[in-house]
Amino acid sequence: MLAIAFIFGLVSVGLLCRALFKLAVHALPFFVAVTVGMTTLNAGYGGGLAVLAGITAAAFTLVIGRVLFACSTSLLLRALVAAAFLIPAAMAGRQVAFGAAALIAEPSPFWHEIIGWSGALLVAGYALHRLLNNELSRPLQSEQAWDRSLYSSRL
């Protein structure tokens, strides 16, 4: 019975890590949705309106961020948009790594920080990979750019 619980525990941790990596890019829209929803709810509007306002704000954040990242020719603007999406993803990865480290064993504070920052770097790296690969198609800059790969002009 203990072996079955251990196997199910490993499978559930694996599924949670997979969900974390797949949803890491959406940490900023989720944060915006919760903030707008709680602000709307605290302003005295009903729960339904708060949920609708949060979902709308998250959708706008995601769409505007993706369009700015895909269509911008400025490297600085693309880096700022990428940072806006990657910092919340890294924070989420750090907190998940802290929680996983506390569940597995109680490491020393030094190793706790090492595990937390390793999780932050892994999740932020994967979020950057997803952000770059899910880019909207960019318009051609000139006639000579038709054969150039999109990877050469990425961040």
Side-chain angles (χ1 to χ4, degrees), residues 27-41:
L28 177 68
F30 180 75
F31 174 73
V32 169
V34 169
T35 303
V36 169
M38 291 302 293
T39 304
T40 306
L41 192 62

Side-chain angles (χ1 to χ4, degrees), residues 88-148:
M91 290 171 47
R94 185 170 188 253
Q95 294 303 318
V96 168
F98 273 160
L103 283 177
I104 294 171
E106 188 61 38
S108 67
F110 174 75
W111 286 108
H112 202 73
E113 288 294 324
I114 296 295
I115 291 170
W117 285 107
S118 298
L121 289 174
L122 284 172
V123 172
Y126 188 75
L128 180 63
H129 172 73
R130 294 251 344 237
L131 189 64
L132 289 175
N133 283 340
N134 290 336
E135 187 174 344
L136 298 171
S137 61
R138 302 183 96 190
L140 294 177
Q141 302 295 330
S142 65
E143 291 294 322
Q144 293 85 14
W146 66 272
D147 61 342
R148 208 171 28 151

Side-chain angles (χ1 to χ4, degrees), residues 65-81:
R66 291 282 175 105
V67 168
L68 275 176
F69 188 77
C71 296
S72 174
T73 57
S74 168
L75 188 62
L76 179 64
L77 182 62
R78 287 172 57 93
L80 288 174
V81 170

